[in-house]
Amino acid sequence: MILLLESDKACVDDVLAHLSVDYARRIVWQTRLPDDADLNFADPPSLVILGRGLSQQQALAYIRQFHTVPILLISHVDQAEWASTALGAGVNDYLLYPFSLQQLTQQITSLLNVNTLQTRGMIMSSPASRRLQTMAHRVALADAPVLIRGETGTGKEMLAQFIHANSNRKDGPFVAVNCAAIPESMLEAILFGHVKGAFTGAYTGQVGKFELANHGTLFLDEIAEMPLSLQTKLLRVLQEWEVERLGSNKMIPLDVRLITATNQNLKDAVSKGYFREDLFYRLDILPLVIPPLRQRREELDRLIAHFVQKHGDGTFAHAVKLSPCAQQALWAHSWPGNIRELENRVQRAMVMCRSTVLLATDFGLSAFSPSSGSIVTASLNRGEQSPSESLQESRKHGEFQHVLETLRSCRGHRNMTAEALGITPRALRYKLAEMRRRGIITDDA
C-alpha cells in the first residue's frame, strides 16, 4: 500500500495523473491522520508520499510519525530549500513540481526497494542513513565507478552488493577482492589473470577477477592498500576498459561496473604520495560515505534485535530483552568496530546469558549504574587475577557479577531480583551478605 497524504484534492488528482496504472491502484489517499494512525493500518504502508498541499508543520509531523517507512516529499520548485531541510529531517527523497510521469514512477520504484537493504542486515533508520539509502539507489541506476568510504565494520561490501543487486547488472556476477588480504606479488595476477608459464609456478592459465566480473560488478575493498605500481596498471584498465593477462599480448575487452571501498582518507594518501591523484579522480565519480555507528545510535535497538534473531534460537530469541544496565552500556560504548563489533558482541551475549535478560557483562561491556540509583553502590572489581586462582573462586566471581547485574536491572528490588535469578529471597539475602563482606556492595543491602 502506498499512502498519499495530501490536503488538496487538486494536488491528489495531479499525482494520480502522473502515476502508472499499477501504482495508482495501490494509492490510499488521506487528508490527515491522528498521531497513532500508523499503528491502525491492517496493511501498513510500504511508502508514504507527502503532497505539496501540506504545510511544512504537517509534513514534519508525518515525517516523525512514519520514520520507519520510506518517505517521498513532493514540493513546489520554488521551495527547494524546504525540500532540502526535509531531507535532513528524515525524508528519503523529494520531487519538485512540475515533474514527469517517468520521474515520479522512477522515484516510487526506487523507494519501494529501500527495505531490501534491511533484508541484507543493514538497518538504516536514522536521517543520515536514509539519505545514504537514497543516494545508493540513485547510484545503482548509473554505471560509473563508485567509491565507498567508511570505517572498519560499517558494511561497505554489503552496500556494494546492494548497489549491484539494484543495478542493470544484477543478473551478472558480483566479484569481491580485498586488496589488503592478498600479497603484493600475487595481486596483479589475481586481478588481471595470467597465462601458463607467465611466472614460476604458473603451471596453468588463470582468468583474472576483471574477466570474471564481465557484465557484472567488481568490488575492490581496501583500495588504498594497492601498491603504486599496480595503481598505474589499474588506471590504464579504467581508461581503456580492456585487460591483458600476464604473459600475454592479447587485449580482452571489459564490460564491468567498478566499486571500490576504503577506510582511509584517499585525499590524504594522495597528498602524501601513497595514492595516484589521477586514479583517485577516476574512482571518486560517485562517492558514498557510510556514517559510523556512534553517529547513528538510534539504530542500536533495531540492529540488536536483528542480530538476536540471527544468532538466537527460535522462541528463546523472541523472549530476549536488555537489562537497563545493558542498554546504558551499549549506548555509552564508542563502537570502534561499528556494526561488525556489535554483531560479535550480540553473538557473545547470546552464548553467555543465563536468562532471557541480557546483561552488560554478557556483551563484554562494563556495567553502568541506573541513573535513578539503586542499593548497589560499588562495582565488582576483581583486580589482577592470580594465575593460581581456583576454578571454584573464578565461578564465584562470575556468580557475583551475575547477581550484581540482575540487581541493577531490577532497580534494587530484591523480590524481583530473586525471581529473575530463579532463587528464593532468603538465598539472595545470603549472597548479598557475602558480597557485602567481600566489599562488592558498600551499604546494608
Side-chain angles (χ1 to χ4, degrees), residues 310-344:
K310 179 178 177 180
H311 297 292
D313 183 16
T315 306
F316 175 75
H318 287 286
V320 164
K321 59 182 180 179
L322 300 177
S323 70
C325 289
Q327 289 177 328
Q328 292 182 27
L330 289 164
W331 186 268
H333 190 57
S334 61
W335 300 110
N338 293 287
I339 309 297
R340 185 181 297 129
E341 179 189 356
L342 176 62
E343 180 174 6
N344 290 344

Side-chain angles (χ1 to χ4, degrees), residues 343-358:
E343 180 174 6
N344 290 344
R345 287 189 180 274
V346 171
Q347 191 172 8
R348 168 198 168 113
M350 297 302 289
V351 174
M352 301 300 294
C353 65
R354 298 177 179 88
S355 71
T356 57
V357 179
L358 301 183

Side-chain angles (χ1 to χ4, degrees), residues 337-391:
N338 293 287
I339 309 297
R340 185 181 297 129
E341 179 189 356
L342 176 62
E343 180 174 6
N344 290 344
R345 287 189 180 274
V346 171
Q347 191 172 8
R348 168 198 168 113
M350 297 302 289
V351 174
M352 301 300 294
C353 65
R354 298 177 179 88
S355 71
T356 57
V357 179
L358 301 183
L359 309 176
T361 50
D362 294 332
F363 292 92
L365 298 173
S366 300
F368 280 75
S369 298
S371 58
S372 61
S374 73
I375 63 171
V376 182
T377 58
S379 62
L380 181 60
N381 184 1
R382 296 178 59 184
E384 292 295 327
Q385 182 176 344
S386 170
S388 61
E389 182 182 37
S390 69
L391 178 61

Side-chain angles (χ1 to χ4, degrees), residues 106-107 109-110 113 135-144 163 166-168 257 286:
Q106 182 176 328
Q107 288 282 46
T109 301
S110 177
N113 290 330
M135 288 299 299
H137 274 286
R138 291 183 177 181
V139 163
L141 299 176
D143 210 32
I163 293 172
N166 287 272
S167 70
N168 295 329
R257 169 74 175 277
L286 295 174

Side-chain angles (χ1 to χ4, degrees), residues 107-137:
Q107 288 282 46
I108 290 177
T109 301
S110 177
L111 291 176
L112 285 175
N113 290 330
V114 159
N115 290 331
T116 58
L117 262 178
Q118 298 186 8
T119 62
R120 292 174 177 268
M122 295 187 73
I123 308 299
M124 308 180 82
S125 55
S126 67
S129 295
R130 294 177 73 170
R131 286 195 294 272
L132 176 62
Q133 284 181 321
T134 302
M135 288 299 299
H137 274 286

Side-chain angles (χ1 to χ4, degrees), residues 373-415:
S374 73
I375 63 171
V376 182
T377 58
S379 62
L380 181 60
N381 184 1
R382 296 178 59 184
E384 292 295 327
Q385 182 176 344
S386 170
S388 61
E389 182 182 37
S390 69
L391 178 61
Q392 181 180 1
E393 186 68 14
S394 179
R395 287 174 175 169
K396 181 66 70 175
H397 277 295
E399 178 184 321
F400 289 157
Q401 182 69 68
H402 182 51
V403 171
L404 180 63
E405 279 290 324
T406 306
L407 193 61
R408 283 174 170 167
S409 68
C410 295
R411 303 286 181 175
H413 195 290
R414 295 185 192 178
N415 289 338

